[in-house]
Amino acid sequence: MEQLCDNSLGWSVVSQNKMVVYALIIINKAGGLVYQRDFAEGLNKLSINDYLVLAGTFHGIHAISTRLNPLLPNDTPSTTSRPLPPSGIEVLETENFRLQCFQTLTGTKFLLFTEPQQPNIENIMGMIYGLYADYVMKNPFYSLEMPVRCEGWERRLVREVRAVNSR
Amino acid sequence: MTCYSFYIFDRHTECIYSKLWARQDRPLSAGIDPSSIPASNGGAQSDLGPARARPARLSAQDDAKLIFGTIFSLRNMVRKLGGPDDRYIHTYAHTTGNGPRKWEKMLIQRNSFISYRTGQYKLHYYETPTSIKFVMLTDTQTLNMRNVLHQIYVNLYVEFVVKNPLSPVEHPGGVGVANELFELALDQFVKGVL
């Protein structure tokens, strides 16, 4: 009986710590969808058209959210450095999932859908960005701003995310 | 924790109440003389030329419109993506009227969008089943404020606006919302929470 209790406790702890990455979306700097992949159940499946609409919508909202900055911009004129521009949406929290958005300096956006309470998303995002740099940007046959169809990227990405999901 | 602003939108997408806090506090805390701001502002814009061509600030009305657009799109996006149980909450309501009393299934669209955060601020969202939308902008350190917005709805909005016999049912242009009691209580409530 005691063992059973222990087991059930152990299971609940394990299931709480389990990390789930639901999906990854990459949006190019013009707001076009260049990559979309589901890794786990949990989000609704949309048609490819809906994903394109979603990418464009998010691109627009991201731009608007930079303009909604309630703080005064720092108006002290400085000749040495330009202040960092206000960032757009970084984390979106909902009851069903958590959306982490990472925008590279060149304007490409990585959207990572995870469980609501998932920690260390930055690490996963960094890992994915590294893979993207290695397997997509360094691929001589990849044309910029176009949909990502690279076998190596696909293989490595699925392997790494699967490792995260089953950790 | 700081609260920057608070907005209420009615079901006709109109902003019926908005309140801004602390927007003018920042230059003082940053140690800049307020009287010098207009001059330095103009100077900076002419000096840096087209790179800073974007207009300095939007009016409060434009801000409210942008906020509504943002939450509207995000809410729809989240609703579309959310899991299969996201679409409706199934509740049973006791039907009133002349017929036999029975329980009827009611479908209420559930809103799972809670908040988003940028590097500068965080936006919290709460929508009532009658689709009145409460939005609050705070600093990025603030934790979940959905229950606070719910409290504002239950304890302040319902008490001082809905139950006010002089206020109309709908509030076109914000008529009846910004009454003295509501404003005072809201101000105290927000200052007490943060």
Side-chain angles (χ1 to χ4, degrees):
Chain A
M1 186 62 196
E2 203 176 277
Q3 201 181 2
L4 233 169
C5 285
D6 273 350
N7 259 346
S8 65
L9 193 72
W11 270 110
S12 70
V13 168
V14 165
S15 64
Q16 269 178 7
N17 284 347
K18 200 180 166 205
M19 308 165 80
V20 181
V21 175
Y22 291 136
L24 171 73
I25 287 180
I26 303 179
I27 303 174
N28 70 12
K29 64 183 170 200
L33 181 76
V34 290
Y35 187 75
Q36 188 277 328
R37 191 179 177 94
D38 287 331
F39 300 105
E41 300 289 315
L43 296 181
N44 282 340
K45 297 263 183 301
L46 304 184
S47 68
I48 189 68
N49 236 335
D50 284 347
Y51 279 118
L52 284 166
V53 171
L54 188 145
T57 312
F58 189 85
H59 185 75
I61 295 171
H62 192 273
I64 290 175
S65 69
T66 63
R67 298 297 312 276
L68 288 176
N69 186 2
L71 297 172
L72 282 174
N74 197 357
D75 278 327
T76 44
S78 83
T79 47
T80 52
S81 68
R82 190 187 295 279
L84 277 177
S87 79
I89 295 177
E90 287 178 356
V91 181
L92 172 74
E93 286 176 60
T94 76
E95 282 172 12
N96 302 328
F97 62 87
R98 183 186 158 105
L99 165 58
Q100 181 95 13
C101 173
F102 168 65
Q103 188 176 25
T104 66
L105 287 176
T106 48
T108 309
K109 282 188 268 295
F110 290 74
L111 310 188
L112 199 61
F113 296 82
T114 64
E115 281 223 297
Q117 304 302 330
Q118 182 151 356
N120 299 329
I121 304 178
E122 278 81 6
N123 294 349
I124 306 171
M125 192 67 98
M127 180 266 291
I128 289 176
Y129 185 37
L131 288 180
Y132 178 79
D134 280 348
Y135 289 89
V136 178
M137 298 318 281
K138 291 180 190 172
N139 183 342
F141 300 106
Y142 174 67
S143 45
L144 288 174
E145 310 294 323
M146 295 307 274
V148 178
R149 294 186 210 287
C150 306
E151 209 180 299
W153 147 261
E154 197 91 15
R155 210 181 310 128
R156 283 297 300 269
L157 178 74
V158 169
R159 191 198 303 164
E160 299 285 339
V161 174
R162 200 168 280 164
V164 168
N165 276 354
S166 61
R167 196 181 289 162
Chain B
M1 296 210 291
T2 326
C3 177
Y4 298 132
S5 50
F6 174 72
Y7 299 86
I8 304 177
F9 299 93
D10 70 356
R11 63 197 177 95
H12 309 294
T13 76
E14 193 182 346
C15 176
I16 55 173
Y17 183 75
S18 72
K19 177 138 181 95
L20 313 176
W21 287 278
R23 187 176 267 181
Q24 61 276 35
D25 289 348
R26 199 163 163 275
L28 294 173
S29 64
I32 306 166
D33 183 13
S35 60
S36 75
I37 285 175
S40 67
N41 197 353
Q45 278 183 346
S46 59
D47 281 347
L48 295 173
R52 291 195 49 164
R54 54 170 57 182
R57 266 231 72 84
L58 297 167
S59 74
Q61 272 186 341
D62 288 345
D63 255 358
K65 283 177 197 161
L66 278 187
I67 286 177
F68 185 83
T70 310
I71 57 168
F72 185 78
S73 314
L74 280 178
R75 186 193 63 159
N76 287 350
M77 196 181 102
V78 167
R79 196 176 272 175
K80 208 179 242 182
L81 271 174
D85 59 340
D86 183 56
R87 195 108 310 187
Y88 295 105
I89 316 170
H90 295 269
T91 52
Y92 287 87
H94 205 221
T95 49
T96 52
N98 300 329
R101 308 181 96 192
K102 60 176 182 189
W103 292 95
E104 217 168 61
K105 199 187 247 178
M106 243 172 69
L107 296 178
I108 301 172
Q109 282 218 322
R110 177 168 134 188
N111 290 288
S112 64
F113 169 43
I114 298 172
S115 68
Y116 76 76
R117 176 174 68 73
T118 78
Q120 283 73 38
Y121 67 96
K122 188 168 176 180
L123 180 143
H124 308 264
Y125 175 72
Y126 172 72
E127 182 175 344
T128 69
T130 48
S131 66
I132 299 170
K133 300 169 183 65
F134 291 77
V135 177
M136 189 179 262
L137 268 65
T138 65
D139 65 354
T140 53
Q141 312 303 313
T142 313
L143 296 175
N144 196 349
M145 294 277 279
R146 182 181 243 197
N147 46 357
V148 172
L149 290 177
H150 178 72
Q151 291 294 318
I152 289 178
Y153 169 59
V154 172
N155 292 335
L156 307 181
Y157 186 81
V158 171
E159 288 297 324
F160 299 132
V161 178
V162 177
K163 288 188 185 172
N164 183 356
L166 297 178
S167 91
V169 179
E170 303 278 347
H171 307 279
V175 181
V177 181
N179 61 56
E180 204 177 320
L181 273 175
F182 179 72
E183 295 225 295
L184 203 69
L186 178 71
D187 206 48
Q188 276 177 353
F189 184 78
V190 169
K191 287 203 170 111
V193 166
L194 300 175

